[in-house]
Amino acid sequence: MKNKTLNSSKNLQPMTATCFAIFESTPITENVRKSISNQTFYTMRGLNIARKKNGKNSSKTQAQMVQRTRWTKVLDLEALFEPASQIGFPRRKTTETYHNAFMSANTNAEAVSVSEDLEVTVNYPEILCAQGRLKLPRSLSISAEAETRTLTFTHAAEGNGCRRYANDQLYALVVETTLEDSELYELGTRSESEPVAVTLPEDWDMDSLAIYVFATTADGKKASNSKYLETA
């Protein structure tokens, strides 16, 4: 059985959350990299950021504070999910990066809920680390073996079909939610039925895993929505 790790969040540096707004690049704003009035504009990891000079928290109402708290948490999650999102959001506006696409897909109450006391809960089954119209294999399952620290992914072989291509590439992102670490694994192509076993890092807790699968076309230009999987 195959075992291949593609990328890890350990090598991806998290972004800090000192900004107040993300703005879309336009012919007028794309070259703005200086201050206008009390606003400072700059680019950070592909995100177009607008920030107030005084650095004070301008969130006054409860709704503003809740949204700010949610945005800050999703910003942290963006780094954790980056091994998948950097290939999982290929169909986006030319002015957007995959950073923007992940933030847009997950800055909502379903993915990240915030209480009135500003306590944050990440609803991992609702997180999208890939997005698109490609379809996942009809049957895709996962089993876990705690003693050997392995996950085994299985799917039936498929050929070409509606929004399906035999050479589509399948991936799994495994997230250790307590340590806030992640690994991206390649699961072979849609037409291959051989089970793929992956061995997890020794310091990971098998009970703290969030597991996602998604597909891309062979050229990487299209993707499916990611799907959260429960272990058998």
Side-chain angles (χ1 to χ4, degrees):
M1 291 188 284
K2 302 176 184 178
N3 187 346
K4 185 175 182 181
T5 304
L6 292 185
N7 210 338
S8 169
S9 62
K10 289 181 179 179
N11 298 322
L12 303 170
Q13 298 301 316
M15 296 183 289
T16 58
T18 58
C19 49
F20 286 86
I22 301 176
F23 65 91
E24 182 175 319
S25 178
T26 68
I28 295 175
T29 64
E30 64 182 0
N31 294 318
V32 175
R33 296 294 184 271
K34 56 182 68 176
S35 297
I36 300 176
S37 185
N38 67 336
Q39 300 287 330
T40 298
F41 299 88
Y42 61 97
T43 298
M44 179 175 67
R45 288 185 62 188
L47 298 175
N48 300 309
I49 306 295
R51 185 179 66 180
K52 283 192 175 181
K53 285 183 180 179
N54 58 21
K56 294 180 181 179
N57 186 344
S58 60
S59 299
K60 301 295 185 181
T61 69
Q62 180 69 15
Q64 286 175 322
M65 290 189 291
V66 165
Q67 184 62 10
R68 178 183 174 83
T69 301
R70 177 179 294 116
W71 192 91
T72 299
K73 184 59 183 179
V74 177
L75 195 61
D76 291 338
L77 291 171
E78 197 276 331
L80 180 61
F81 282 82
E82 187 172 2
S85 66
Q86 61 185 336
I87 60 175
F89 291 90
R91 305 282 285 194
R92 56 183 187 267
K93 296 178 181 178
T94 56
T95 55
E96 284 188 333
T97 67
Y98 64 86
H99 306 289
N100 298 101
F102 179 89
M103 296 291 293
S104 178
N106 294 289
T107 306
N108 57 71
E110 290 73 28
V112 178
S113 59
V114 181
S115 71
E116 291 183 356
D117 297 327
L118 303 183
E119 294 183 355
V120 178
T121 301
V122 179
N123 305 313
Y124 284 97
E126 300 299 325
I127 296 289
L128 280 176
C129 60
Q131 193 171 50
R133 302 182 66 189
L134 208 61
K135 292 183 179 180
L136 282 167
R138 295 182 180 87
S139 64
L140 202 161
S141 62
I142 180 174
S143 60
E145 178 56 58
E147 186 174 340
T148 58
R149 310 186 60 73
T150 60
L151 300 174
T152 301
F153 296 84
T154 305
H155 74 277
E158 294 179 343
N160 294 329
C162 177
R163 297 178 188 167
R164 293 181 173 91
Y165 305 94
N167 63 349
D168 287 341
Q169 182 63 56
L170 306 179
Y171 298 93
L173 180 75
V174 184
V175 178
E176 212 286 11
T177 60
T178 302
L179 297 176
E180 296 188 336
D181 195 6
S182 62
E183 297 275 0
L184 182 67
Y185 300 96
E186 189 175 289
L187 304 181
T189 65
R190 188 185 295 273
S191 63
E192 298 173 330
S193 60
E194 180 184 357
V196 177
V198 301
T199 302
L200 302 179
E202 292 184 2
D203 59 339
W204 282 21
D205 183 351
M206 296 288 286
D207 294 324
S208 299
L209 302 180
I211 304 166
Y212 306 83
V213 293
F214 64 97
T216 70
T217 50
D219 60 10
K221 293 183 178 180
K222 297 179 182 179
S224 70
N225 281 355
S226 58
K227 181 180 181 179
Y228 179 89
L229 286 184
E230 300 275 356
T231 57

